[in-house]
Amino acid sequence: MARRRARLGLFEPVRGGGAAIALDEVEISILRSLLVQLLELIGPGDPPPGADDDPLAALFAEGPGKPPDDPALARLFPDAYAETEDASEFRRFTENDLRARKREDALAVIGGLDLGGPVLKLSADQARQWLGALNDLRLTLGSRLEVTDDGEGPGGGLDALPDDDERKPLMMAYLWLGGLQESLVEVLTG
């Protein structure tokens, strides 16, 4: 059973708490492309003032005080509180670290794809990074597709989109990533 699941592009458990998945070249290419786009969206972050001069200052640097204007970034970096001064303060002290973690997760997945063979075997820590990156990709695509909490985008789901709709490939990727994410969650919690 585990071999069949791996051939279908779903995660399966491995000893030691990790996960394994078999992806074909097309799936690897799509995943890599989406992750590179995610990295471009997240960006390098604003360098803290004086970071080059004082590494300690960089450690205690503050981030932005307001949410991003881009809806996808706003979804990746939501306010922790309702529109208040507390939300601004919380964002200032957490967003830089959150951006760094999201970049690290995406880069770890890209690195795993580059080093992988026919079956990618992930440690428990690597599997958690994959889960974070898959979640970030789905949040970004969901935002771009205007997917609501019930999983529906404008005009319904994938079946409701005409074949020539430019959103159809994105919706297919969104659903595929959801399957990957769900199978990984099952492995990590099972």
Side-chain angles (χ1 to χ4, degrees):
M1 179 71 170
R3 293 182 74 111
R4 199 171 82 223
R5 287 187 76 188
R7 277 187 249 133
L8 293 173
L10 298 175
F11 286 93
E12 62 182 48
V14 296
R15 282 184 224 176
I21 189 168
L23 297 170
D24 64 30
E25 289 180 27
V26 172
E27 292 169 321
I28 290 170
S29 176
I30 291 169
L31 195 50
R32 184 180 290 115
S33 175
L34 291 171
L35 287 162
V36 167
Q37 292 175 58
L38 178 67
L39 286 168
E40 290 172 0
L41 177 67
I42 292 171
D46 296 328
D52 295 333
D53 303 330
D54 185 359
L56 187 59
L59 186 62
F60 293 102
E62 296 178 9
K66 64 178 188 152
D69 293 329
D70 183 310
L73 284 174
R75 185 69 178 111
L76 289 172
F77 305 107
D79 278 331
Y81 306 100
E83 295 289 328
T84 66
E85 190 174 315
D86 290 339
S88 177
E89 286 294 306
F90 188 81
R91 177 177 297 283
R92 284 184 38 231
F93 293 108
T94 61
E95 187 170 317
N96 286 344
D97 289 339
L98 188 55
R99 279 182 187 269
R101 196 201 79 228
K102 290 179 182 301
R103 280 191 296 275
E104 288 170 13
D105 289 350
L107 288 169
V109 173
I110 291 171
L113 293 172
D114 290 344
L115 296 175
V119 176
L120 301 170
K121 293 183 180 173
L122 311 173
S123 69
D125 287 339
Q126 291 168 325
R128 282 188 283 283
Q129 287 182 301
W130 272 67
L131 189 58
L134 290 172
N135 187 60
D136 291 342
L137 287 173
R138 286 198 73 229
L139 287 172
T140 301
L141 285 175
S143 175
R144 295 290 189 240
L145 291 165
E146 298 177 355
V147 173
T148 61
D149 288 341
D150 63 3
E152 295 286 324
L158 179 63
D159 294 337
L161 293 175
D163 288 340
D164 62 347
D165 191 310
E166 63 186 26
R167 296 172 297 172
K168 193 154 191 163
L170 291 177
M171 183 62 87
M172 291 172 66
Y174 175 80
L175 295 172
W176 173 63
L177 291 168
L180 289 177
Q181 186 179 19
E182 183 178 343
S183 72
L184 185 52
V185 167
E186 287 175 6
V187 165
L188 293 176
T189 60

